């Protein structure tokens, strides 16, 4: 067993809680090359971070993330803070020789993302690793989908159909939380959930979006100011209103090369859809369908089955031979949302231990950022827009 | 093209309407060896039968079914009247040299059913055919289920799990229609819908129930008398009440030989289940599941699929290669309840034209009756009861 | 009872068979103000039309549709021929004082559609009626969807999400049937199935698409020539190839006014999707979802339900109080594809008898045509394109 | 914050791993009155238990559970060993003043269960608590189901329909693991999974089974001996065979008083059903349906909804107002199997801290045992059998 991997985490809201559950669990479920230690939690409010550290299981806490850089007992910095601080923290951490796991979207702008890629690239030379946290890649059904596509199970890809539907701000009285302010969040549905379906469809198909045509809409243009910005669940109690400066919904068409076409939609106004990440890929030999609200299932249609028996097969992705699942329970015993983070932690720890680069890399995340940027520009100009390629 | 097959029908309520739709349609959808003519409709009320004949498309009508026996222009008598008159009409019709299609259950008692079998057997010698109308055998998905089991797709059968759930008398104010009176209907859920799951499971598995243990329950023991007995939809408007003399629900365990075991349930008190005929068969190599409320689908699980891709396949049974479907619409264009009667009419007409015996025969229907009789006796005696076998 | 309505039909392939089933059935299921008579069938091949007339139940037949115009015993002409002849026949029929039912899409060009609208308008003055056959409006679940939206059940509409997915030409060996040739079919997936989702979403929301941005794709660019063009199911047996001159797939974004946004997709390359017409409408108070492959069901989510009990309700649209359903079977007994045509026939016959204009009118169908035209132009120019409005 | 609750656990196979995950997590997700400490793990093999303690997160380990009794630093003993040792350990632990959590089924015989109840009763006087681990009660959807029934949402109960379907021994080459040997496991499907549906249906309905009629079947009567008995996943590699001495499947009818009737089935031979715990309760006003393979969902049909909008509502039980869910993720972010144990741990720790008796008590578990005993006797005698009541 090698030395323990000592983790520091910045941020302790929704994402911080999910990552903490992963760090607490990963040692005990997987046979890791290095044990994980939850060393220190960082946050802006000294009081709040102290409480969070206790609750979430971190040994220490600090209200200044810069102190983490100098500590010898921190090997990895896990960034769960809002997007506007990703670049600064990640670049500093990498420069300090700390491995970095950074939540998606990588940054609030392409420029920031580029500087993060440069930092990661520089650090890589000295064995420092950087990874972006697109956790949905680690849903076993999604990993299986990728594998089946790579194995040719659906043949030549024709169509990508992706939507990420939520409804948490349908109520116009829902307050103006940070996720609805462009200066903090960068964008609305686009960066928050649209980023996931861009990454996920590129991941499973092995293709990139090359050109997009988008529209965005903000249905509710002003909202009550929140008393405090406590994440998704904050309730407004103020009579003051502020402008919503991000998109409530984004819709776009895409080309993915070689004639592959796609429709994409991300919205927070699809009443009744709670975390409706839905992806369908049609190929010349079959189709695969994933819906996060039934995350333990993958639908598969194969033209190679006997003609009279063809149909959509609901694969319950809980068999020990399915990706990530040998560590968990017997078949039919479901796993949940948080497990995606445990799988992510597993893959990251193993990559670090083995001296390999974890994926998605910062460069992968920059490419997603370039897609989001093209989408945003397309929506502004009402024109088909090419996705920039990094040289 | 041979001579037309001239049909007379007795009864014109729910079943009469469904059969009429089949007789009107079968000529035009299938390439039949003989065209069907809807010659005459018979019913007890002269006024009502006249109206029904016009509406349902019968050329003539009569209020005396006995007159049908002597008519040279009637080849087949289709009995859609309640169960208490099946035996008398069927036996007379067969003796008069008319082919007979008799709705299920064949009779209200085993004794009656036996005399009908004897009549059918005697008539068969002179080429007269008799068939019992278990229409659910003609759902394409059910026919496919039988075929797949016969082809060994699910291996050795272990479990049969059948239920037929309805809810049309959950309301205690629903009136005492004829289906709730033992002297007319013979039994309640048992003969009306239980008969279907007995026949259907025997049909698809190719096995017979040999032993049963049952309970019956009548949840609402008295109901308002109806002003008229107009079938399923009659509304009560009387202050007088009468006793419900049939079972509201019947549940039974069964053995089907060679270690095969089954659970059966038929009820009219399963709130929300409208026509919930549900059958699951587990075998050593796979499972098949059918649910009438999604009658165009068949679920199939196969251990012979690659391990990581196993799951329940939802076969949309609308391909031209599926049973009965080549006559209908392109794939994905559903068919409905009434089509089962059209398929039944097709099979019957073809059998008559080809000089073959249609199935299910009266003997098949008697065997179902013997199962129902064993169930009823088991419920009375609270004991496991063997199903009698005809010698 | 008024005089019978005598129908002539032009065309007898897939649509002709479906319409025939409706004309045969509508008298017997609904209590119509006028009985329908299936007077004469018209088609180009004298031999084929004679056979079809016999099979489909038409009293007479002709190989010259022009003869229909002069017959006194023809009241209505039902046009089921390919789109390239719609305009000529419909205009002549209306001029001859015949009511017209014309299959969708109304015409292969906006110009033709406009001349048809003019003809219908002129004929209307003398009580002659014209209707376009968008049969999916008559799926009971779709009619219920429209009614619930009109009743405010889902509040202010935000999102429309519509796709019509088929897979019948995934195989590159599938022959070049008439539906794949622009000069006959006008367009590919766009006019054939895209037209349905445009009409259906406009019908249920009561809104019009005002602006679109589209892409089209032809995945398989040449195909074997068919030996005969027998519709959907033709098998190619020739070594000669021809160019596919229509779209295999069309994807578009749309604005529907007042901030309502939509995604639309029609394709024949969605492997495993047989007749996957899927529509979801999100509103401020709820959501409605329809999928034709489960056409007897409507999904409804309501924010007005008690919070802990909210969810998607699967309404089985088979209750007598549901649109069109009182004429059919008891609850839970499904109907099929063809019933939409019977409902359409019912509505048309009733409108004619009552001296009312049936819907969708030719003007409604022209408006759909204008949307399709904007989509086609948008795909060509790769630009957002406004839908023209008729003055 | 009170003193920590120091836990010792006996057993570390499948159940031990699940309980460990719960003990590791419960502190960090819920705001507990007392922190939990994972003090010591006990198992028969010194080597294996050492490895397991490290992997599962226990501070210490021992190969002699008796040593736990004397330790001052153990407050609670969690028994995850096979059923044949439950009684001995539990009784000793309670006598030693340790709280006890004992996996289900409580014991392998009614006599043992009775002695455990007596021990729990004696210990209760001095504030020592005993609980039996029927974890499925703590699925949020199940807890919601109970609450809705108690609130009268489905009215008077008529029908209970419960099955627990698995398929892990369909292969006749699957070895003779301890769960297939009566002397260790007590029974087969009956005690292992049948116990769960008995408890669960009694829990949600608030009713007891009073009378049962059962059959059992052992489809594969001998199996290869395993090389080691490592739980569910052991692979046989021996040429020696041994007799299967437990039931592969058990089916029973039940009466639950006041006319309520039920069907129950537990089997390990339902090919394709992995952990198919399925329960449907029909009442006079509605129906509730739960299926563990979609454990985050609850289906609800209500006659109190507007007539045209009635249907089965799929409640996604992930809202913060749903039982246990406020501690987890935003709506639509699923939880998994292991969470039921975390909820169980939460309820137990809270009960201990508050000086309350946790449920299900040993007496509750004895009552389940009495039902299982009646089922076993009924299967042996082929007769309806009354469930004994404890005085």
């Amino acid at each position: 067993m090698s030395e323990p991997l000592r983790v520091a985490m910045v941020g302790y809201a929704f994402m911080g809680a999910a990552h903490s559950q992963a760090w607490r669990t990963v040692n005990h479920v997987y046979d890791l090359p290095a044990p994980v230690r939850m060393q220190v939690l960082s946050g802006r409010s000294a009081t709040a971070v102290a409480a969070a550290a206790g609750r979430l299981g971190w040994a220490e806490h600090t209200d200044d993330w810069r102190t983490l850089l100098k500590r010898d007992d921190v090997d990895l910095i896990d960034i769960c803070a809002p997007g506007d601080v990703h670049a600064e923290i990640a670049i500093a951490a990498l420069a300090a020789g700390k491995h970095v796991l950074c939540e998606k979207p990588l940054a609030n702008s392409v420029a920031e993302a580029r500087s993060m890629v440069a930092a990661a690239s520089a650090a890589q030379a000295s064995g420092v690793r950087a990874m972006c946290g697109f956790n949905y890649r680690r849903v076993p059904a999604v990993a299986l989908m990728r594998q089946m596509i790579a194995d040719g199970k659906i043949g030549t890809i024709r169509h990508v159909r992706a939507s990420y539907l939520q409804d948490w701000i349908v109520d116009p009285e829902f307050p103006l939380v940070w996720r609805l302010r462009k200066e903090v969040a960068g964008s609305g549905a686009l960066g928050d959930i649209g980023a996931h379906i861009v990454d996920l469809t590129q991941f499973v198909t092995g293709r990139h979006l090359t050109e997009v045509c988008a529209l965005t809409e903000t249905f509710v243009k002003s909202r009550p100011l929140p008393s405090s910005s406590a994440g998704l669940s904050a309730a407004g109690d103020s009579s003051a209103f502020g402008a919503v400066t991000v998109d409530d919904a984004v819709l776009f068409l895409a080309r993915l090369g070689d004639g592959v076409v796609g429709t994409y939609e991300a919205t927070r106004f699809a009443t009744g859809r709670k975390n409706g990440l839905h992806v369908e890929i049609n190929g010349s030999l079959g189709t695969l369908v994933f819906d996060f609200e039934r995350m333990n299932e993958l639908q598969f249609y194969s033209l190679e089955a006997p003609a009279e028996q063809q149909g959509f097969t609901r694969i319950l992705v809980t068999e020990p031979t399915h990706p990530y699942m040998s560590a968990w329970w017997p078949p039919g015993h479901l796993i949940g949302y948080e497990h995606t983070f445990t799988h992510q932690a597993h893959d990251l720890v193993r990559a670090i231990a083995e001296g390999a680069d974890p994926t998605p890399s910062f460069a992968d995340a920059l490419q997603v950022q370039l897609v989001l940027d093209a989408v945003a520009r397309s929506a502004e100009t009402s024109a088909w827009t090419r996705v920039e390629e990094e040289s």
Side-chain angles (χ1 to χ4, degrees), chain A:
Chain A
M1 175 76 86
S2 71
E3 293 299 296
L5 183 80
R6 294 153 303 180
V7 180
M9 189 169 82
V10 186
Y12 47 81
F14 169 29
M15 272 305 105
H19 282 233
S20 295
Q21 172 73 3
W23 292 124
R24 282 194 307 265
T25 302
V26 67
N27 279 330
H28 301 296
V29 173
Y30 288 99
D31 188 23
L32 286 183
V36 166
R37 283 220 195 123
M38 296 172 69
Q39 201 74 16
V40 50
L41 179 68
S42 169
R44 278 170 297 187
S45 152
T47 327
V49 77
R55 191 176 65 248
L56 299 175
W58 295 88
E60 300 170 52
H61 52 88
T62 174
D63 61 356
D64 180 4
W65 64 265
R66 287 169 212 280
T67 61
L68 305 175
L69 305 177
K70 297 165 211 154
R71 288 178 67 147
D72 285 344
D73 62 353
V74 166
D75 303 307
L76 170 81
I77 297 183
D78 178 5
I79 307 172
C80 293
D84 57 340
V85 295
H86 285 188
E88 184 183 11
I89 302 174
I91 292 167
L94 289 164
K98 311 300 187 193
H99 307 298
V100 171
L101 169 61
C102 181
E103 255 307 308
K104 51 57 55 186
L106 189 62
N108 280 359
S109 74
V110 166
E112 282 179 340
R114 281 205 177 105
S115 61
M116 293 167 80
V117 170
S121 181
Q124 190 193 26
S126 43
V128 174
R129 311 290 165 188
M131 181 189 192
C132 186
F134 282 105
N135 65 300
Y136 289 113
R137 291 188 177 203
R138 268 76 186 197
V139 175
V142 171
L144 180 61
M145 196 175 190
R146 172 183 163 93
Q147 189 178 298
M148 289 174 72
I149 291 174
D151 290 350
K153 299 289 183 200
I154 64 167
T156 304
I157 295 175
R158 304 299 195 190
H159 283 284
V160 172
R161 205 165 293 114
S163 53
Y164 199 150
L165 310 181
Q166 296 185 336
D167 73 352
W168 55 279
I169 56 172
V170 163
D171 181 355
E173 296 304 310
F174 188 92
L176 191 70
V177 296
W178 71 262
R179 287 176 186 269
L180 306 184
R181 291 165 51 214
K182 189 183 176 83
E183 66 275 23
V184 186
S187 67
L190 177 58
D192 184 21
I193 54 179
H196 277 300
I197 49 176
V198 168
D199 181 67
L200 200 155
T201 54
Q202 294 193 145
F203 173 67
V204 297
T205 64
R207 308 193 70 89
H208 281 181
L209 283 81
T210 59
E211 212 178 348
V212 295
C213 186
L215 72 76
T216 54
E217 186 64 45
T218 303
F219 299 108
V220 172
K221 298 189 197 320
S222 83
R223 290 181 176 274
L225 297 176
S227 45
S228 68
S229 60
L232 291 178
S233 58
D237 59 358
S238 166
S239 59
F241 277 68
V244 176
T245 48
V246 298
D247 53 293
D248 287 338
V250 58
L251 291 65
F252 55 103
L253 305 180
R255 291 197 174 273
L256 292 93
D258 299 326
V260 180
V261 294
T263 58
Y264 288 78
E265 182 169 8
T267 179
R268 294 158 169 173
F269 271 75
T271 306
R273 303 299 180 185
K274 301 304 172 183
N275 202 40
L277 191 171
H278 192 278
V279 173
E280 174 165 341
I281 314 287
N282 305 129
S284 59
L285 295 180
T287 284
L288 284 161
V289 188
F290 172 73
D291 177 356
F292 184 80
E293 288 186 6
R294 288 180 170 163
M295 64 172 276
N296 293 271
E297 304 178 16
L298 180 66
Q299 302 274 345
F300 175 45
Y301 188 101
S302 174
L303 287 177
E304 296 176 312
E308 289 185 6
Q309 299 163 27
Q310 288 178 14
F312 279 90
T313 299
R314 178 171 73 90
I315 304 171
L316 195 56
V317 190
T318 57
E319 298 292 319
T321 53
H322 287 141
Y324 301 107
M325 291 306 292
S326 64
W328 297 105
W329 317 113
H333 294 71
L334 309 190
I335 62 163
Y337 170 68
E338 71 211 52
H339 293 68
T340 60
F341 297 97
T342 305
H343 302 163
Q344 177 175 277
H346 165 267
D347 289 349
L348 174 56
V349 172
R350 187 164 291 278
I352 290 171
E354 294 171 353
D357 278 320
T359 59
S361 68
F362 277 18
D364 295 332
L366 165 59
Q367 189 274 332
V368 171
Q369 204 78 23
L370 289 168
V371 175
L372 302 184
D373 183 64
V375 170
R377 286 184 290 125
S378 171
E380 270 170 44
T381 60
S382 297
W384 277 91
T385 304
R386 288 204 65 79
V387 176
E388 276 186 62
E389 286 174 51
E390 284 297 289
S391 53

